[in-house]
Amino acid sequence: MASAVELALAATPLLLAGVLLVGLLWPATRAMPIAYVAALIVGYFVWDMPGEYLFAASAVGVMTAIQILWIVFGALLLLYTLMQAGAFDRINRGFATISDDRRVQIVLIGFFLAAFIEGAAGFGTPAAVVAPLLLALGFPALAAVIAGLVGHILAVTYGAVGTPIVIGIQDPLGSTEATSTAITEGGFTVQEFSLQVAVWAATYHSLIGFVMPLFAVGMVVYFFGDTDERSLEPAWEVAPLCLFSGIAFVVPYWLAAQVSAEFPSLMGAMVGGAIVVGTLKAGYFVPDEEWDFPDREEWPAHWVGTIEPGQANAPGVGGGAGDATAADGGVVRTDMSLLRAWAPYILLVVLLVVTRVVEPLPSVLQQFGTQWNDILGTGLSGGIDWVYVPGFWLFVCALIAIPLYGMSGTEVKNAWSEAGQKLIAPLIALVFVIAMVQVMLQSGAHADGTESMIFVLAEATATAVGPAYPFIAALIGALGAAMAGSNTVSNITFGGFQFEAASQLGLPTQVIVGAQAVGGAIGNLVAIHNVVAALATVGLVGSEGRVMRLNLIPLIYYAVGVGIVATLFSYLIFPGLF
């Protein structure tokens, strides 16, 4: 067991990041470089890491960050291409015209559409896109933000086409020799283990999260309904619709997780959304009476910001000559069918499935990458998959969308500009946070018998918490996401930590790391970066405290629920399965 001084020093980079991000509300672009420097100092002076190991670990982190950014760029480019083309507005209108009932709109747009955007783009995009769409429909700005943040939580674990699992869990665990060896000795490859994590995470989400459409509706009708007498009765009136929607989402979502971590959120949103839309159009689950917000003059001042409801502009949307203007300010190609609007994303799913299950395509595509083996003679290696990862196929679909929609040069330029601008902050934050984590993970690689900072911290936590550890595993993941604003970063930071802690306690590692993946999702409810981004799109910057306080309600529900289920899985259910 490490000494108290060693423990304190090992925790310094993480504690420093937490203080700067949460305590002082610094942006990650400022906080993470400082935390990275702290990891270098501790690694060099306390863990005796030679300079070449510090460089090699940092290089592995930079290459991992570049691969994530390649995925993010493709996701954002496709999203903004559809926005510029008016296809996204067509998709939104397809949902919004089904019902004028605000509760139904929350389910369709705040839940299904937000979940789809998360599955396709991730990284804080859903609430920042969905909130202004709901505002354009007449929602109070604060209600729009709450609905968007709460509604997309189930999808976050598999956001940006599975990035939190593939990049956040699989790559870091595979990059550490001790961890990858332990996984192999358990009878799995690292890839197979990460898929098991994806399955367990989907199981948690399905059992606990299928009520989230009802939760989102309940939050809005209770806090933004009758200003004289708050009531949940309007939510209970649509409970059958909400629960049906949750089940329609989690069934294809859970089944997709059995195949790949890249598809659950996309399949849950597309298949579940289609089922619910068809059901509503057939006349089932339609509310007897439409529910709406109080009259505009009754709204408290803090509900609305600088943009008046009904006049919101979706981010980054332009218009072409001869096209109508949508309620959200974007271009509407009036002859566009829903199938044409959805076509690039349907093509994306097809391409991802084909390139992952049709042999020998996966092995062939993985040859097109950049690899740096045995960096400076340390034995550490890193690389970037340029073609196999979803970023390439997102990029291809964005290019195909240009002639599909007949986009002008100005629209294409605007889409690329928006996507590029959105990469600047993640570029700085991701490079430094992943480099920091790699330094901590590899801090024992230079000498036999030397344990890494992450191992030392995990061992101490496991000893302190003991058998109760499964109950807090998701909370650790939530803390990481709340600090860094990203499920992927939380998984990179704490995935190895959770694996080691579970190993120390003799707990099923995939169950505990699965809880980490879920915790990283629910932490997004109060991640300051996501909250600020969503508030900015509706002109309500400065209300971060209100949003975070309200979102503590679903966060506590989810964390406690996952904690109970993780404990049952760890001690009762999982041992009986194997």
Side-chain angles (χ1 to χ4, degrees):
M1 176 69 71
S3 68
V5 173
E6 286 178 321
L7 282 173
L9 292 171
T12 297
L14 299 177
L15 292 175
L16 187 58
V19 169
L20 295 177
L21 289 169
V22 181
L24 301 181
L25 300 181
W26 281 24
T29 51
R30 289 175 59 197
M32 295 322 301
I34 294 175
Y36 166 67
V37 171
L40 290 179
I41 293 172
V42 174
Y44 185 79
F45 288 104
V46 182
W47 259 257
D48 296 322
M49 289 181 72
E52 60 267 27
Y53 277 86
L54 292 171
F55 177 86
S58 301
V60 172
V62 170
M63 285 185 280
T64 302
I66 292 173
Q67 183 162 291
I68 295 174
L69 289 165
W70 176 222
I71 298 171
V72 175
F73 175 71
L76 293 176
L77 182 63
L78 181 56
L79 176 66
Y80 284 114
T81 296
L82 264 69
M83 282 182 159
Q84 287 290 332
F88 193 81
D89 181 79
R90 179 66 184 92
I91 292 170
N92 183 51
R93 287 186 296 119
F95 281 124
T97 55
I98 293 172
S99 175
D100 290 328
D101 190 296
R102 302 304 189 184
R103 299 165 298 183
V104 177
Q105 291 173 349
I106 292 169
V107 172
L108 296 180
I109 299 174
F111 177 65
F112 280 110
L113 186 56
F116 176 79
I117 297 170
E118 176 61 31
F123 291 91
T125 307
V129 173
V130 165
L133 292 177
L134 292 174
L135 183 65
L137 292 174
F139 277 60
L142 191 60
V145 170
I146 295 295
L149 286 170
V150 174
H152 84 293
I153 290 305
L154 271 82
V156 176
T157 296
Y158 311 94
V161 203
T163 299
I165 298 292
V166 177
I167 305 295
I169 297 293
Q170 181 176 314
D171 286 4
L173 293 184
S175 70
T176 308
E177 184 177 353
T179 304
S180 59
T181 300
I183 291 173
T184 303
E185 290 175 350
F188 303 104
T189 65
V190 174
Q191 185 174 7
E192 290 169 342
F193 180 84
S194 69
L195 181 58
Q196 289 241 340
V197 170
V199 171
W200 282 102
T203 304
Y204 288 122
H205 276 304
S206 298
L207 293 173
I208 304 300
F210 77 95
V211 300
M212 292 315 285
L214 180 59
F215 222 116
V217 170
M219 292 279 290
V220 172
V221 301
Y222 185 79
F223 291 107
F224 301 94
D226 189 336
T227 53
D228 294 325
E229 184 179 352
R230 289 177 173 175
S231 172
L232 284 173
E233 184 177 349
W236 300 130
E237 293 172 359
V238 292
L241 168 64
C242 293
L243 296 177
F244 176 74
S245 299
I247 294 170
F249 179 92
V250 300
V251 170
Y253 169 89
W254 187 85
L255 292 174
Q258 316 301 309
V259 179
S260 170
E262 293 163 332
F263 304 125
S265 297
L266 289 172
M267 297 307 295
M270 294 176 74
V271 175
I275 291 172
V276 171
V277 167
T279 302
L280 286 167
K281 285 187 173 181
Y284 298 101
F285 298 121
V286 177
D288 294 332
E289 295 182 4
E290 289 185 353
W291 183 88
D292 204 346
F293 298 102
D295 293 337
R296 174 66 181 84
E297 57 270 16
E298 298 179 18
W299 294 3
H302 67 268
W303 285 12
V304 183
T306 58
I307 303 175
E308 185 64 21
Q311 301 176 6
N313 294 319
V317 184
D323 291 314
T325 301
D328 62 8
V331 59
V332 179
R333 284 172 168 79
T334 54
D335 61 342
M336 186 181 296
S337 67
L338 267 176
L339 178 61
R340 187 178 170 204
W342 279 101
Y345 281 116
I346 296 173
L347 176 62
L348 172 66
V349 172
V350 172
L351 287 173
L352 288 173
V353 171
V354 169
T355 57
R356 276 140 183 79
V357 302
V358 178
E359 295 293 346
L361 280 176
S363 56
V364 171
L365 294 175
Q366 288 173 15
Q367 302 303 313
F368 297 93
T370 302
Q371 189 70 25
W372 190 358
N373 294 317
D374 194 20
I375 303 170
L376 300 185
T378 61
L380 303 183
S381 302
I384 305 168
D385 286 325
W386 295 109
V387 176
Y388 182 72
V389 298
F392 178 79
W393 303 107
L394 287 158
F395 181 77
V396 168
C397 291
L399 294 180
I400 292 173
I402 296 172
L404 175 67
Y405 298 130
M407 295 176 67
S408 68
T410 299
E411 290 170 343
V412 174
K413 179 182 176 182
N414 288 341
W416 282 68
S417 176
E418 287 284 349
Q421 290 174 18
K422 293 295 186 297
L423 276 184
I424 297 174
L427 169 64
I428 299 171
L430 283 171
V431 164
F432 284 103
V433 73
I434 300 175
M436 176 198 78
V437 172
Q438 281 297 324
V439 169
M440 296 181 71
L441 284 170
Q442 306 296 349
S443 53
H446 63 287
D448 291 337
T450 300
E451 304 293 357
S452 69
M453 299 182 213
I454 292 293
F455 182 92
V456 167
L457 291 172
E459 183 181 43
T461 303
T463 301
V465 178
Y469 189 86
F471 189 80
I472 69 165
L475 282 173
I476 293 173
L479 174 63
M483 290 194 306
S486 167
N487 192 354
T488 300
V489 174
S490 177
N491 288 349
I492 291 171
T493 306
F494 292 110
F497 176 100
Q498 302 262 27
F499 183 94
E500 295 294 348
S503 298
Q504 291 288 322
L505 291 166
L507 298 170
T509 51
Q510 54 267 64
V511 171
I512 299 301
V513 180
Q516 154 65 38
V518 174
I522 63 179
N524 278 261
L525 285 164
V526 294
I528 187 67
H529 306 72
N530 294 340
V531 173
V532 169
L535 289 171
T537 64
V538 297
L540 206 57
V541 172
S543 295
E544 293 83 6
R546 290 183 185 275
V547 172
M548 294 172 76
R549 283 196 297 271
L550 289 176
N551 281 355
L552 283 174
I553 300 171
L555 188 150
I556 292 170
Y557 158 76
Y558 227 112
V560 171
V562 173
I564 293 172
V565 174
T567 303
L568 292 175
F569 281 160
S570 296
Y571 294 115
L572 297 179
I573 299 174
F574 188 93
L577 294 177
F578 298 93

